[in-house]
Amino acid sequence: MKLFITTCLKEYQDDVSKIFKQANISVFSVTDITGFKEDIANNLLEDWFASGDEKFDSLLLFSFTSNANAEVGIDLINNYNKKLEENFPVRAFIVPVDKSTSYKKS
């Protein structure tokens, strides 16, 4: 099992939701986030948003899914970003899930 995480501008929500569905990820969660950037950084994780005293209305979309679905999702996000004309790519990460719990009602 993997945790597939993406962040994007709110304007991309419909496109990213379609990408999740194309990757056979039909159950996912979405939450609003606001990104801030106050200085220039060399680290990718610190360079998440553009430099300057700006804030960006963004979304975090995530799902627990199979490795195969997450890999397809990454490939689709990479292809989507190649076609973007704006300088705000969709970010995507695959995080391993070592353990999980589940509850089944008897």
Side-chain angles (χ1 to χ4, degrees):
M1 178 187 305
K2 302 292 181 183
L3 175 58
F4 183 61
I5 304 168
T6 64
T7 63
C8 65
L9 294 178
K10 278 190 176 184
E11 292 83 9
Y12 300 164
Q13 180 175 4
D14 289 341
D15 292 343
V16 175
S17 294
K18 288 177 188 173
I19 288 170
F20 269 61
K21 290 177 185 172
Q22 289 173 345
N24 203 30
I25 302 171
S26 57
V27 176
F28 57 92
S29 299
V30 180
T31 187
D32 290 324
I33 57 174
T34 303
F36 293 91
K37 180 71 182 214
E38 296 179 5
D39 62 331
I40 298 173
N42 293 328
N43 184 317
L44 171 65
L45 293 177
E46 294 174 7
D47 193 24
W48 202 269
F49 299 97
S51 62
D53 292 330
E54 301 176 65
K55 63 181 181 178
F56 301 89
D57 292 327
S58 302
L59 297 173
L60 176 76
L61 296 89
F62 63 95
S63 179
F64 294 96
T65 189
S66 70
N67 186 55
N69 292 350
E71 290 292 338
V72 170
I74 285 281
D75 290 341
L76 291 169
I77 295 290
N78 284 331
N79 289 334
Y80 179 83
N81 284 338
K82 289 177 186 175
K83 299 174 186 173
L84 275 180
E85 294 182 13
E86 296 85 7
N87 196 23
F88 295 97
V90 176
R91 307 287 184 176
F93 299 90
I94 299 173
V95 180
V97 177
D98 294 329
K99 292 182 181 182
S100 67
T101 62
S102 63
Y103 174 77
K104 291 186 179 182
K105 219 174 187 180
S106 306

